[in-house]
Amino acid sequence: NAAAIALRETLLPITYFLCFLGFVECVARSRGDGESIIMFFISIACIVILAANYPTALRLLRDGINGMMDTHNAHVNNIFYQILNANLTNEPSMWDVGNYILYGIIKLLQGIGKVGIIIIELLQTVSLLALVGISPLLIGMLATSWTRAAGVRFLMTSLIICMWTIGIAIVDLVLF
């Protein structure tokens, strides 16, 4: 976490430089149209505010989505997690080989599912830290017309990574 914040603080001046370049581009293209210059100035202000508060906003978004899903899971019979955490209390008898195999397969699949959830949560955390680290550069790209697509793609990627929890809930709805 500290490394991502340190990288972010190092790259933050690049955001302001890209905003300056975007403002110069807007002034050059507007040919004296005051309204477009003011609108672009407002958009530059929004970009600077987003760049300054991106880690907090991302954390709030992630916590909000996770809180919403926890509330949903508490009220709904979440079959996916029930299957992952089910205890098989009636072990088969010693002479019933077929049930032993079935019991072993079920336990194996439960273990794979639990490991999969842990890996998804770990990848989400690492991805969010990487996004925080490079956020000033990519948010600054929103300011210029020739790099705006990369900035928009970055914001969409941030939103999508925060919504992985909703993807797990959709799996629960579709499969069961």
Side-chain angles (χ1 to χ4, degrees):
N1 194 14
I5 298 297
L7 179 61
R8 182 183 181 289
E9 295 298 323
T10 304
L11 293 176
L12 207 52
I14 295 174
T15 301
Y16 305 128
F17 179 71
L18 287 171
C19 287
F20 174 74
L21 284 179
F23 189 71
V24 169
E25 175 193 12
C26 173
V27 169
R29 287 187 179 186
S30 69
R31 295 191 178 112
D33 182 19
E35 183 179 335
S36 66
I37 292 174
I38 289 173
M39 290 304 294
F40 192 78
F41 186 73
I42 291 171
S43 70
I44 291 292
C46 291
I47 291 169
V48 169
I49 291 169
L50 178 63
N53 297 313
Y54 180 78
T56 306
L58 194 62
R59 191 176 327 106
L60 286 173
L61 178 65
R62 178 181 170 187
D63 292 345
I65 290 173
N66 288 343
M68 177 185 70
M69 293 311 299
D70 290 342
T71 303
H72 170 75
N73 291 341
H75 294 299
V76 174
N77 196 8
N78 195 336
I79 297 173
F80 183 67
Y81 283 108
Q82 283 182 1
I83 289 173
L84 286 182
N85 297 321
N87 289 328
L88 301 176
T89 55
N90 51 351
E91 286 190 37
S93 68
M94 187 172 114
W95 304 106
D96 196 3
V97 177
N99 283 340
Y100 262 117
I101 293 172
L102 182 61
Y103 181 81
I105 289 172
I106 290 172
K107 282 300 198 181
L108 176 69
L109 291 175
Q110 281 180 329
I112 290 171
K114 287 179 182 180
V115 169
I117 295 293
I118 291 169
I119 289 172
I120 287 173
E121 290 173 353
L122 179 69
L123 283 174
Q124 183 183 33
T125 302
V126 169
S127 298
L128 291 175
L129 286 175
L131 289 174
V132 166
I134 61 170
S135 65
L137 179 64
L138 293 168
I139 289 173
M141 288 183 174
L142 290 168
T144 59
S145 64
W146 61 87
T147 58
R148 190 166 293 131
V152 170
R153 198 172 315 122
F154 168 75
L155 292 177
M156 290 302 298
T157 301
S158 301
L159 180 65
I160 289 168
I161 290 174
C162 286
M163 293 178 69
W164 283 0
T165 309
I166 294 175
I168 294 171
I170 290 173
V171 167
D172 183 47
L173 290 174
V174 170
L175 293 179
F176 302 106

